[in-house]
Amino acid sequence: MNEMKFKYVVFDFDGVVCDSTKECMVTAWNAWERWNKRSGFRSRIEDFSKTEIESFIPLRPYVRGAEEYFILMHVINSSDLNIGNQQEYDDLRLVLHDKLDTFKEVFFSERDRLRRKDMDSWIKLHHVYNDVILVMRDLHKQGRLIMATFKDYKSVRMILKKNGVDISPKDIMDESQISSKLDALNYVVSKKKIKKEDLCFIDDNVTHLIEPNNNNYKVFLSGWGNTMTEHKKIANDNNISILNKILLNTF
């Protein structure tokens, strides 16, 4: 197992470190309300009906960045739209692409408003995977932990610090700094002056892994949380390993 040791382990955040479905649902709802010039804002998952929750949860793993919550809210609020697979999701993204960047700004504004209103309640909307956090604490102590995520830096830092991982800002690459996960990994290799094989990258969305995998990075699809069966099949088709949490201890 020792042969799996890497100089750096790069983690995505949402879906790998924690399940942020509740927080994303609340924030996306409020952003949608703001977008449509309404004021039916919510702050708790209890404010949602069972139907609303069951409509949101299956679509959440498709999202690659904050702007794409526009797609989810558009589908959920349309009576004649359904997403059945990754291709249908990507096709709809192309149709709605001109709305996404503007919605992203609204989404982050609403997230910030929730944080300022009640930070502790906002943090509790995130369910961290404790066994992953334990590994991250060890990696952090060893100076081997890096984050590459399309979540915003402030959220990542706050949640990790609350869970005993006080990671340096220089080791977090967020949505304001990177345009793709390949971009992030290339930056790490250049900044740390290492080889590609000196790091590995873990993400819960296989579409983030295909390009790095094709560029000879060692990547893993997280096998826990809400990782979709469809994404696991795509990973297998592309020779991308699906990671069991137990193996994190060998990294």
Side-chain angles (χ1 to χ4, degrees):
M1 289 294 184
N2 289 336
E3 64 184 12
M4 289 189 71
K5 290 289 184 181
F6 298 95
K7 288 184 179 179
Y8 296 96
V9 183
V10 185
F11 284 77
D12 175 43
F13 189 78
D14 286 339
V16 176
V17 180
C18 75
D19 181 355
S20 62
T21 302
K22 293 178 181 178
E23 190 274 342
C24 291
M25 185 170 186
V26 172
T27 303
W29 173 275
N30 291 342
W32 185 256
E33 287 293 294
R34 181 80 66 187
W35 177 273
N36 288 288
K37 297 180 172 57
R38 299 191 297 253
S39 57
F41 304 124
R42 301 175 179 181
S43 58
R44 308 175 307 152
I45 200 66
E46 290 79 9
D47 296 331
F48 293 85
S49 69
K50 181 181 178 182
T51 299
E52 289 170 335
I53 293 171
E54 290 178 347
S55 297
F56 187 89
I57 288 176
L59 296 176
R60 163 64 186 84
Y62 286 114
V63 173
R64 289 165 289 211
E67 69 278 5
E68 293 189 2
Y69 284 102
F70 183 88
I71 302 170
L72 267 62
M73 298 309 294
H74 180 77
V75 171
I76 291 170
N77 287 279
S78 300
S79 59
D80 59 345
L81 274 178
N82 290 291
I83 297 293
N85 55 55
Q86 185 68 53
Q87 188 59 58
E88 289 178 1
Y89 179 85
D90 290 342
D91 289 345
L92 185 56
R93 191 191 193 283
L94 289 175
V95 173
L96 301 175
H97 76 278
D98 60 324
K99 309 283 197 315
L100 303 187
D101 285 345
T102 306
F103 188 79
K104 177 180 178 180
E105 295 176 10
V106 179
F107 183 94
F108 282 130
S109 175
E110 287 303 309
R111 173 175 283 165
D112 189 55
R113 187 173 66 84
L114 277 173
R115 273 196 303 243
R116 286 186 281 105
K117 181 181 178 182
D118 187 342
M119 185 182 73
D120 287 340
S121 294
W122 176 81
I123 288 179
K124 287 177 182 177
L125 288 170
H126 301 78
H127 169 70
V128 299
Y129 301 122
N130 288 319
D131 34 7
V132 176
I133 287 288
L134 289 174
V135 172
M136 293 177 74
R137 287 176 188 165
D138 288 339
L139 290 169
H140 177 54
K141 289 175 184 176
Q142 298 164 20
R144 299 170 55 215
L145 176 64
I146 297 175
M147 303 300 303
T149 174
F150 288 136
K151 201 177 188 74
D152 60 289
Y153 158 82
K154 187 174 182 179
S155 294
V156 173
R157 182 128 166 74
M158 287 171 65
I159 295 166
L160 288 181
K161 191 172 183 179
K162 186 79 171 179
N163 287 277
V165 184
D166 193 8
I167 188 170
S168 169
K170 67 181 177 62
D171 290 324
I172 301 176
M173 292 170 287
D174 77 346
E175 51 82 29
S176 69
Q177 299 167 280
I178 57 175
S179 58
S180 70
K181 299 302 175 70
L182 176 60
D183 181 31
L185 299 182
N186 286 340
Y187 177 81
V188 173
V189 166
S190 175
K191 188 73 173 178
K192 302 291 187 182
K193 294 180 170 53
I194 59 174
K195 298 176 182 178
K196 289 182 177 181
E197 55 265 33
D198 290 332
L199 64 78
C200 70
F201 175 52
I202 307 164
D203 202 300
D204 69 311
N205 189 316
V206 73
T207 65
H208 285 151
L209 298 173
I210 293 173
E211 195 176 23
N213 186 60
N214 291 341
N215 281 269
N216 301 314
Y217 282 103
K218 184 61 178 177
V219 299
F220 296 91
L221 179 69
S222 59
W224 55 90
N226 297 318
T227 303
M228 293 188 296
T229 301
E230 179 190 0
H231 281 186
K232 291 178 181 179
K233 182 181 184 305
I234 294 172
N236 285 326
D237 291 344
N238 285 273
N239 295 314
I240 294 172
S241 299
I242 300 171
L243 182 65
N244 185 305
K245 276 189 289 189
I246 295 173
L247 291 180
L248 275 175
N249 289 303
T250 69
F251 284 10

